[in-house]
Protein backbone atom coordinates (compact mmCIF):
# COMPACT_ATOMS: atom_id res chain seq x y z
CA UNK A 1 0.00 0.00 0.00
CA UNK A 2 1.14 3.51 -0.73
CA UNK A 3 0.99 6.37 1.78
CA UNK A 4 -1.94 7.85 -0.13
CA UNK A 5 -3.96 4.72 0.66
CA UNK A 6 -3.67 5.60 4.35
CA UNK A 7 -4.11 9.32 3.86
CA UNK A 8 -6.33 9.80 0.83
CA UNK A 9 -6.16 13.55 1.01
CA UNK A 10 -3.21 15.14 2.70
CA UNK A 11 -3.95 18.77 3.37
CA UNK A 12 -1.36 21.50 3.59
CA UNK A 13 -2.07 23.73 6.54
CA UNK A 14 -2.13 27.39 5.56
CA UNK A 15 -1.91 30.47 7.73
CA UNK A 16 -5.11 32.40 8.46
CA UNK A 17 -3.84 35.18 6.17
CA UNK A 18 -3.40 32.69 3.32
CA UNK A 19 -6.87 31.27 3.94
CA UNK A 20 -8.30 34.78 3.97
CA UNK A 21 -6.64 35.54 0.63
CA UNK A 22 -7.91 32.27 -0.86
CA UNK A 23 -11.48 32.96 0.25
CA UNK A 24 -11.35 36.51 -1.10
CA UNK A 25 -10.04 35.20 -4.42
CA UNK A 26 -12.87 32.70 -4.53
CA UNK A 27 -15.41 35.45 -3.84
CA UNK A 28 -13.95 37.52 -6.66
CA UNK A 29 -14.10 34.56 -9.06
CA UNK A 30 -17.67 33.78 -8.05
CA UNK A 31 -18.75 37.41 -8.53
CA UNK A 32 -17.22 37.33 -12.01
CA UNK A 33 -19.02 34.06 -12.80
CA UNK A 34 -22.25 35.63 -11.54
CA UNK A 35 -21.73 38.58 -13.93
CA UNK A 36 -21.06 36.20 -16.82
CA UNK A 37 -24.23 34.26 -16.00
CA UNK A 38 -26.20 37.51 -16.00
CA UNK A 39 -24.70 38.36 -19.41
CA UNK A 40 -25.76 35.00 -20.85
CA UNK A 41 -29.25 35.41 -19.45
CA UNK A 42 -29.55 38.83 -21.16
CA UNK A 43 -28.25 37.49 -24.48
CA UNK A 44 -30.67 34.60 -24.30
CA UNK A 45 -33.53 36.94 -23.44
CA UNK A 46 -32.61 39.19 -26.40
CA UNK A 47 -32.56 36.23 -28.83
CA UNK A 48 -35.44 34.33 -27.29
CA UNK A 49 -37.42 34.07 -30.52
CA UNK A 50 -34.54 32.47 -32.43
CA UNK A 51 -33.75 30.12 -29.55
CA UNK A 52 -37.27 28.75 -29.44
CA UNK A 53 -37.53 27.57 -33.02
CA UNK A 54 -38.24 23.88 -33.44
CA UNK A 55 -34.69 23.01 -34.45
CA UNK A 56 -33.11 24.84 -31.48
CA UNK A 57 -35.72 24.46 -28.75
CA UNK A 58 -34.53 21.25 -27.06
CA UNK A 59 -30.88 22.26 -26.90
CA UNK A 60 -31.77 25.80 -25.84
CA UNK A 61 -34.00 24.54 -23.07
CA UNK A 62 -31.27 22.19 -21.81
CA UNK A 63 -28.70 25.00 -21.79
CA UNK A 64 -31.10 27.36 -20.00
CA UNK A 65 -31.74 24.74 -17.31
CA UNK A 66 -28.00 24.20 -16.87
CA UNK A 67 -27.49 27.96 -16.63
CA UNK A 68 -30.21 28.23 -13.97
CA UNK A 69 -28.62 25.40 -11.95
CA UNK A 70 -25.20 26.99 -12.32
CA UNK A 71 -26.54 30.36 -11.14
CA UNK A 72 -28.10 28.73 -8.08
CA UNK A 73 -24.84 26.92 -7.31
CA UNK A 74 -22.89 30.17 -7.68
CA UNK A 75 -25.24 31.91 -5.25
CA UNK A 76 -24.88 29.03 -2.76
CA UNK A 77 -21.08 29.06 -3.05
CA UNK A 78 -20.93 32.83 -2.50
CA UNK A 79 -22.87 32.40 0.75
CA UNK A 80 -20.66 29.48 1.81
CA UNK A 81 -17.41 31.36 1.13
CA UNK A 82 -18.70 34.42 3.00
CA UNK A 83 -19.56 32.17 5.94
CA UNK A 84 -16.09 30.59 5.75
CA UNK A 85 -14.52 34.06 5.85
CA UNK A 86 -16.46 34.86 9.03
CA UNK A 87 -15.38 31.55 10.56
CA UNK A 88 -11.70 32.42 10.08
CA UNK A 89 -12.00 34.13 13.46
CA UNK A 90 -11.88 30.66 15.04
CA UNK A 91 -8.27 30.34 13.95
CA UNK A 92 -7.07 33.75 15.07
CA UNK A 93 -8.95 34.26 18.34
CA UNK A 94 -6.16 32.66 20.41
CA UNK A 95 -8.51 30.14 22.00
CA UNK A 96 -7.80 26.46 21.42
CA UNK A 97 -10.96 24.99 19.93
CA UNK A 98 -9.72 21.77 18.42
CA UNK A 99 -13.06 20.48 17.12
CA UNK A 100 -14.06 23.80 15.58
CA UNK A 101 -10.62 24.22 13.97
CA UNK A 102 -10.72 20.70 12.53
CA UNK A 103 -14.23 21.32 11.24
CA UNK A 104 -13.03 24.55 9.63
CA UNK A 105 -10.16 22.69 7.92
CA UNK A 106 -12.55 20.01 6.66
CA UNK A 107 -14.95 22.64 5.33
CA UNK A 108 -12.10 24.51 3.65
CA UNK A 109 -10.92 21.35 1.87
CA UNK A 110 -14.46 20.52 0.77
CA UNK A 111 -15.00 24.08 -0.41
CA UNK A 112 -11.77 23.91 -2.42
CA UNK A 113 -13.07 20.82 -4.24
CA UNK A 114 -16.50 22.40 -4.79
CA UNK A 115 -14.95 25.54 -6.23
CA UNK A 116 -12.79 23.57 -8.66
CA UNK A 117 -15.75 21.48 -9.78
CA UNK A 118 -18.03 24.50 -10.19
CA UNK A 119 -15.46 26.54 -12.13
CA UNK A 120 -14.78 23.65 -14.51
CA UNK A 121 -18.48 22.94 -14.99
CA UNK A 122 -19.20 26.60 -15.71
CA UNK A 123 -16.29 26.80 -18.15
CA UNK A 124 -17.78 23.87 -20.09
CA UNK A 125 -21.28 25.38 -19.96
CA UNK A 126 -19.92 28.72 -21.14
CA UNK A 127 -18.24 27.03 -24.10
CA UNK A 128 -21.53 25.36 -25.04
CA UNK A 129 -23.47 28.61 -24.64
CA UNK A 130 -21.05 30.50 -26.87
CA UNK A 131 -21.26 27.82 -29.56
CA UNK A 132 -25.06 27.74 -29.40
CA UNK A 133 -25.46 31.52 -29.46
CA UNK A 134 -22.96 31.83 -32.34
CA UNK A 135 -24.98 29.23 -34.25
CA UNK A 136 -28.19 31.18 -33.60
CA UNK A 137 -26.58 34.44 -34.69
CA UNK A 138 -25.31 32.84 -37.91
CA UNK A 139 -28.81 31.60 -38.68
CA UNK A 140 -30.26 35.01 -37.87
CA UNK A 141 -27.71 36.73 -40.10
CA UNK A 142 -28.33 34.39 -43.04
CA UNK A 143 -32.11 34.84 -42.72
CA UNK A 144 -31.77 38.64 -42.65
CA UNK A 145 -29.67 38.61 -45.85
CA UNK A 146 -32.43 36.82 -47.75
Amino acid sequence: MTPTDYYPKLMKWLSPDDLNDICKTWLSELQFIKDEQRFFQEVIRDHNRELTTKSNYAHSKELLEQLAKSSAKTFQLIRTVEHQLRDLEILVDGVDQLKEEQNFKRCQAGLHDEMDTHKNAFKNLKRELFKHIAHILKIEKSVSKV
Side-chain angles (χ1 to χ4, degrees):
M1 290 189 132
T2 65
T4 56
D5 292 333
Y6 296 111
Y7 305 103
K9 187 165 189 173
L10 295 175
M11 191 170 88
K12 177 182 171 187
W13 180 241
L14 301 169
S15 72
D17 289 334
D18 292 338
L19 292 171
N20 186 47
D21 291 343
I22 289 169
C23 286
K24 286 185 176 183
T25 300
W26 286 343
L27 271 179
S28 176
E29 290 171 346
L30 289 168
Q31 291 297 339
F32 186 74
I33 288 172
K34 184 178 165 185
D35 290 341
E36 287 181 310
Q37 290 166 336
R38 210 174 294 133
F39 166 77
F40 282 118
Q41 289 168 347
E42 288 176 16
V43 168
I44 289 169
R45 186 182 62 233
D46 292 345
H47 296 281
N48 191 36
R49 194 180 85 226
E50 294 86 3
L51 291 169
T52 56
T53 62
K54 282 186 178 182
S55 61
N56 296 319
Y57 180 74
H59 190 57
S60 297
K61 183 179 177 187
E62 178 185 332
L63 288 173
L64 286 171
E65 288 171 357
Q66 289 178 17
L67 184 59
K69 287 178 185 177
S70 181
S71 294
K73 182 68 174 177
T74 300
F75 181 77
Q76 180 258 327
L77 280 171
I78 288 172
R79 297 297 165 246
T80 303
V81 171
E82 287 172 344
H83 181 66
Q84 193 75 352
L85 271 170
R86 286 191 301 272
D87 285 351
L88 268 170
E89 186 178 319
I90 291 171
L91 301 177
V92 295
D93 63 3
V95 178
D96 286 334
Q97 302 170 339
L98 189 59
K99 286 184 181 180
E100 287 83 0
E101 290 175 9
Q102 287 175 342
N103 188 36
F104 180 86
K105 291 178 193 178
R106 201 174 310 110
C107 288
Q108 187 74 15
L111 192 54
H112 178 76
D113 292 342
E114 264 189 276
M115 282 295 298
D116 284 345
T117 302
H118 182 63
K119 286 190 296 186
N120 288 332
F122 183 67
K123 184 196 272 185
N124 292 333
L125 175 60
K126 188 166 57 170
R127 188 177 298 119
E128 285 297 314
L129 284 165
F130 273 123
K131 282 196 297 190
H132 190 64
I133 291 169
H135 174 72
I136 296 298
L137 293 176
K138 285 178 187 176
I139 292 171
E140 184 178 290
K141 188 175 180 180
S142 68
V143 168
S144 66
K145 283 184 179 181
V146 173

